[in-house]
Amino acid sequence: FAAVLLINSTMIVAQNVTESRTLQKSFEAREGMSLDLTNKYGKVHLYPSENDSIYIRIELNAEASNKSKLKKIIDGVSFNLAASNNYVIAETRFKGGPVNIIESIRTLTNNLISASSKLVVDYYVSVPQFMDVNLDNRYGDIYIESTRSNLHVVASNGVIKGEDLWGNNSFDLNFCNLSIGSVTRTSIKISYGELNVERGDNLDIRSTSSKIELDDIESIITDSRRDRYYINKVTNIEGSAYFTDYNIKLLREKLNLSTRYGNLNINQIPYIFDLISLESSYTDIKLSIDKETAFELDARLSNCYSTIPEEWIIEETTLNPERNEYLYTGRVGKSISDSKIIMQLNRGSSDFLVN
């Protein structure tokens, strides 16, 4: 490996003293190796290497009201850059625990130096695409260029942007905004954040109190709590939800959802689809169906207000009048189709709209 440490001279800016340091190191990469990177209070920029080597550049920028405090900040930070047969490790270490970095974090730590103290640690890393990357970054942003590496990202309090991610990936995020160009075979756990995916397939999203925006998705599994979903186009969606609102513009083939409270609104169900299976409690549901669509309907409703188009020839069976429980069955449309809508709804409402 090779390492270079550069130190810029101390300057006085607006009565504060500042110092910048740069550490550079490279490692030989081999099949089967992975990169473990751990950082706080700075950004990480990950991009694919053009050769079989790992290159790491760390930029440290510190600021304090005087030289003594600046030295205390600098001396409290160190870096572990090492390699074994299986791993390359890049780690930011803080002596005695995390140092206060930016004004918004100083209430979270007892290591406050002063309100004018500041430390930012940024990583720029190139890694071959045959390597797995385990990345843990807190209180900082992450940028990932297009790669086939398998990514395992843990982050909090930051913005994460990914281009095209073709590996097997996982994200575990708190108070983060994640945006991805295209992605496959990816699990995402997100709490109190925002997620935006332009194109995706084989997604598994477990979310809490988040805003989810998906543009064009093939298949997705959701486990949702108190979220807002905005989906432009989806082929297959399944999962469960609690106090979540789903807004879907186009459902291509299949939906299988279990919901409690919240809303489900599908603006367009095409002429040919596979299955819509819904089990809900206290959920308001609106389904807009192509007027030429043919399907089998099997809907069991209990204390659930429902509107059904008059042109549909549907049989209504009273199952339990005391509980306002009814069964609606029949075939809608004249064309040959295996499409089905199966619903078991308790309270809430269901509206069928024809367009």
Side-chain angles (χ1 to χ4, degrees):
F1 63 83
V4 179
L5 176 64
L6 305 176
I7 303 176
N8 291 345
S9 59
T10 302
M11 299 183 297
I12 299 177
V13 179
Q15 297 183 345
N16 278 3
V17 288
T18 65
E19 186 169 314
S20 299
R21 295 187 177 187
T22 301
L23 176 63
Q24 302 178 70
K25 199 165 187 177
S26 60
F27 299 90
E28 180 184 356
R30 298 182 299 275
E31 293 282 352
M33 294 182 70
S34 64
L35 169 66
D36 289 2
L37 194 160
T38 304
N39 187 43
K40 284 186 178 181
Y41 314 124
K43 68 183 178 183
V44 175
H45 187 150
L46 186 69
Y47 55 98
S49 173
E50 297 180 356
N51 49 50
D52 292 345
S53 66
I54 302 166
Y55 170 74
I56 300 171
R57 185 173 87 252
I58 304 171
E59 295 183 358
L60 181 151
N61 293 280
E63 180 179 340
S65 58
N66 57 57
K67 291 183 178 181
S68 175
K69 292 179 180 180
L70 181 65
K71 184 177 185 302
K72 186 175 180 180
I73 295 175
I74 297 294
D75 291 346
V77 183
S78 63
F79 302 101
N80 178 29
L81 299 178
S84 67
N85 290 332
N86 299 316
Y87 298 97
V88 172
I89 297 173
E91 179 184 12
T92 304
R93 293 178 173 177
F94 298 95
K95 184 179 180 180
V99 181
N100 176 56
I101 304 303
I102 56 177
E103 187 75 16
S104 63
I105 300 172
R106 61 193 181 99
T107 58
L108 303 178
T109 176
N110 294 324
N111 295 324
L112 177 64
I113 298 173
S114 74
S116 61
S117 300
K118 182 178 180 181
L119 176 66
V120 178
V121 180
D122 295 332
Y123 278 75
Y124 300 85
V125 182
S126 68
V127 59
Q129 298 187 62
F130 58 76
M131 288 184 63
D132 292 356
V133 177
N134 304 308
L135 172 57
D136 189 327
N137 195 49
R138 313 297 174 104
Y139 303 103
D141 299 339
I142 301 172
Y143 185 78
I144 306 171
E145 296 187 18
S146 297
T147 181
R148 298 187 182 278
S149 292
N150 298 325
L151 305 173
H152 308 284
V153 178
V154 178
S156 64
N157 302 84
V159 175
I160 300 103
K161 295 184 178 181
E163 295 182 352
D164 298 328
L165 309 180
W166 297 297
N168 296 309
N169 310 302
S170 68
F171 292 84
D172 189 347
L173 310 175
N174 287 286
F175 300 99
C176 288
N177 294 347
L178 169 63
S179 61
I180 302 175
S182 65
V183 65
T184 62
R185 303 181 302 279
T186 295
S187 64
I188 300 171
K189 182 180 179 183
I190 183 169
S191 299
Y192 307 100
E194 295 186 10
L195 170 64
N196 183 290
V197 178
E198 293 182 14
R199 297 173 303 281
D201 190 14
N202 291 329
L203 303 185
D204 186 339
I205 300 177
R206 303 178 185 275
S207 52
T208 301
S209 301
S210 297
K211 180 181 179 181
I212 314 295
E213 294 185 339
L214 310 174
D215 185 35
D216 192 348
I217 306 298
E218 280 299 312
S219 64
I220 179 176
I221 298 174
T222 69
D223 184 353
S224 175
R225 300 291 183 272
R226 301 182 301 277
D227 299 310
R228 292 169 294 154
Y229 264 84
Y230 301 92
I231 304 175
N232 187 31
K233 293 178 285 187
V234 61
T235 301
N236 298 306
I237 178 171
E238 62 178 284
S240 61
Y242 176 73
F243 274 110
T244 289
D245 293 340
Y246 286 94
N247 293 281
I248 302 174
K249 286 189 177 181
L250 171 63
L251 172 67
R252 293 189 185 102
E253 292 184 7
K254 185 176 181 179
L255 177 142
N256 188 345
L257 278 180
S258 174
T259 67
R260 294 177 59 201
Y261 305 96
N263 297 277
L264 170 64
N265 184 13
I266 304 178
N267 291 336
Q268 184 180 356
I269 299 171
Y271 172 66
I272 296 177
F273 68 94
D274 183 9
L275 172 68
I276 295 175
S277 178
L278 281 168
E279 182 179 348
S280 73
S281 298
Y282 300 93
T283 303
D284 294 327
I285 298 169
K286 290 184 179 180
L287 305 180
S288 296
I289 301 174
D290 191 294
K291 63 182 180 180
E292 301 297 330
T293 299
F295 60 91
E296 294 285 344
L297 176 66
D298 185 333
R300 183 168 182 163
L301 280 57
S302 177
N303 284 307
C304 179
Y305 175 77
S306 181
T307 58
I308 297 177
E310 295 181 354
E311 60 267 29
W312 291 5
I313 302 175
I314 299 298
E315 180 180 350
E316 177 182 319
T317 303
T318 302
L319 301 177
N320 189 325
E322 296 180 355
R323 296 173 54 186
N324 293 319
E325 189 172 352
Y326 301 93
L327 178 66
Y328 298 92
T329 58
R331 180 164 184 82
V332 176
K334 298 179 181 180
S335 61
I336 299 175
S337 171
D338 293 328
S339 302
K340 295 180 181 179
I341 296 180
I342 302 173
M343 308 172 71
Q344 187 167 334
L345 314 181
N346 178 35
R347 299 188 183 274
S349 65
S350 63
D351 293 332
F352 292 93
L353 306 176
V354 176
N355 54 25

